[in-house]
Amino acid sequence: MSHHLDSPLARQDPRLDVCDLYVFRGERGTVIAADHSHSFAGPDAPKGLHPEGRYELKIDGDGDAVEDVTFRFTFGERDAEGGQTFRLHHVTPGEDKLIAEGRLGETTELDCGGRVWIGQAGDSFWIEPDVLHAVGQAFQHGTTVDLTGWNPDKAGNLFAGHTVYSIVLELPDDELRAVAGPDGRIGVWAQTYLATDGGGWRPINRCGLPMIHPLFTQYDEDLGDRLNTNAPADDVRVHGDVIRSKVAGVVRAYGTAADPDAYARTVVERILPNLLPYRIGTEAAFTFAGWNGRALTDNAPDVMFSFAANTPVTLGIGRESVTPKPRDGFPYLPPAEHD
């Protein structure tokens, strides 16, 4: 999984799970899309978006891993027909402004020239479960990825035909350049929160780069919860040592680096703080050559698994396994095949 139901906290209510985060060039500017409420949780799981939650898309423009602007979504109760209302706030250190209200399944125009669509969509991510679990075991125990008996010719996409509830926010590039650095680079992450009885907000799930949880927390659920709760600026201090140790163990088992600890430090420097980098106005590409946003069908699993292990790791499947296919125009994500 990329971040699908990735920790005990997220599994308590799949509506607050951040399954995936995408940043790419759209028809009007920059698109930020976050997936939630995966149908893989089962038919009895609650649907839609949590009415007592906050769903935030956060953007850092100056490289300090602290948000300079937040787009905060909140939702009304789900009605008998499955409909929900939403409110969107634009939040900066000095201002909290309501900028849109709308309903799921409808496109809402923004005064800045952007637009929002929230609703059920097909899942554009793919994963092969046997490879997924083998990778998790390797990084938990410091071994090579054991695919003994696995036949890549029979590889299948665990999430083919599944659905998510997606938040799709498209903004004119000038809106983001106002907070970006001179080179137009930003770092993006998604965070969900749940209201507490005491009137505060408990962080539930956080997603920046893809595949962080599948690599490091499949068999370390305490780490899975902890990765979701701190701010990105604290990632290196809080999680750097444990992730460095996990990477070094796998690289040492493969023997692909003269100094596995040095290679592991390089990996930690690249993935923490856990933000998805993007240069405004460019085509997104999350590839072996570099990370610039993430398009809907970029091959994130092969890229991240191979990078962390310092050896080729492949799922045996690709974008052809996604059903249905992403749309060419807004809201871009695949249509939902079923509820």
Side-chain angles (χ1 to χ4, degrees):
M1 294 172 267
S2 185
H3 284 258
H4 301 58
L5 306 172
D6 59 39
S7 68
L9 276 176
R11 287 194 294 274
Q12 287 177 20
D13 195 317
R15 294 175 295 182
L16 294 165
D17 181 30
V18 188
C19 304
D20 276 297
L21 175 69
Y22 303 94
V23 181
F24 56 91
R25 184 137 188 86
E27 298 166 326
R28 297 187 185 178
T30 300
V31 178
I32 305 174
D35 291 345
H36 309 273
S37 198
H38 203 279
S39 62
F40 194 75
D44 297 328
K47 305 291 193 299
L49 289 309
H50 202 302
E52 297 179 12
R54 279 181 175 174
Y55 297 73
E56 297 189 345
L57 303 176
K58 296 175 177 287
I59 300 166
D60 167 38
D62 58 12
D64 64 357
V66 176
E67 60 268 35
D68 296 299
V69 61
T70 296
F71 292 90
R72 176 182 296 153
F73 294 83
T74 55
F75 297 89
E77 294 283 352
R78 200 164 188 252
D79 63 31
E81 289 74 39
Q84 281 184 276
T85 59
F86 75 86
R87 293 164 62 90
L88 168 59
H89 284 245
H90 179 277
V91 182
T92 61
E95 184 180 41
D96 182 341
K97 181 180 179 182
L98 176 66
I99 62 171
E101 296 181 272
R103 290 188 61 83
L104 267 63
E106 302 174 357
T107 298
T108 300
E109 297 287 337
L110 305 180
D111 289 343
C112 66
R115 52 188 168 176
V116 175
W117 182 90
I118 304 171
Q120 194 178 36
D123 189 358
S124 59
F125 177 71
W126 69 84
I127 198 67
E128 211 294 324
D130 291 335
V131 178
L132 167 72
H133 298 313
V135 167
Q137 291 284 0
F139 280 88
Q140 181 66 18
H141 301 293
T143 64
T144 60
V145 179
D146 183 4
L147 292 171
T148 303
W150 178 65
N151 183 353
D153 293 334
K154 296 183 179 180
N157 178 7
L158 182 65
F159 295 143
H162 273 281
T163 61
V164 290
Y165 278 80
S166 297
I167 296 173
V168 183
L169 172 65
E170 184 167 17
L171 297 166
D173 290 339
D174 287 346
E175 284 289 306
L176 295 177
R177 288 195 179 101
V179 300
D183 60 359
R185 296 186 185 278
I186 57 175
V188 183
W189 70 102
Q191 177 82 59
T192 59
Y193 302 86
L194 182 64
T196 66
D197 293 338
W201 294 92
R202 182 185 188 186
I204 301 297
N205 212 228
R206 173 161 68 93
C207 181
L209 291 169
M211 313 311 299
I212 298 298
H213 282 258
L215 280 164
F216 305 119
T217 76
Q218 284 189 63
Y219 302 99
D220 188 348
E221 293 202 321
D222 176 64
L223 176 61
D225 269 347
R226 289 187 286 113
L227 278 169
N228 285 317
T229 56
N230 67 277
D234 296 324
D235 277 349
V236 174
R237 176 182 61 82
V238 176
H239 308 298
D241 287 346
V242 66
I243 291 178
R244 189 180 301 115
S245 175
K246 288 174 181 285
V247 172
V250 172
V251 174
R252 188 172 292 111
Y254 274 113
T256 53
D259 188 339
D261 291 306
Y263 183 82
R265 287 194 294 272
T266 300
V267 170
V268 170
E269 289 169 2
R270 186 89 179 273
I271 67 174
L272 298 181
N274 182 14
L275 313 178
L276 183 60
Y278 179 65
R279 186 173 180 179
I280 299 165
T282 65
E283 293 300 321
F286 196 90
T287 66
F288 290 102
W291 304 344
N292 182 50
R294 180 185 174 194
L296 290 174
T297 54
D298 280 345
N299 191 357
D302 284 15
V303 170
M304 289 294 280
F305 291 168
S306 301
F307 169 65
N310 198 32
T311 199
V313 180
T314 181
L315 299 184
I317 55 175
R319 65 184 64 197
E320 78 287 342
S321 68
V322 174
T323 58
K325 306 303 181 187
R327 290 174 270 210
D328 292 331
F330 190 83
Y332 308 111
L333 275 78
E337 288 189 328
H338 61 81
D339 191 352

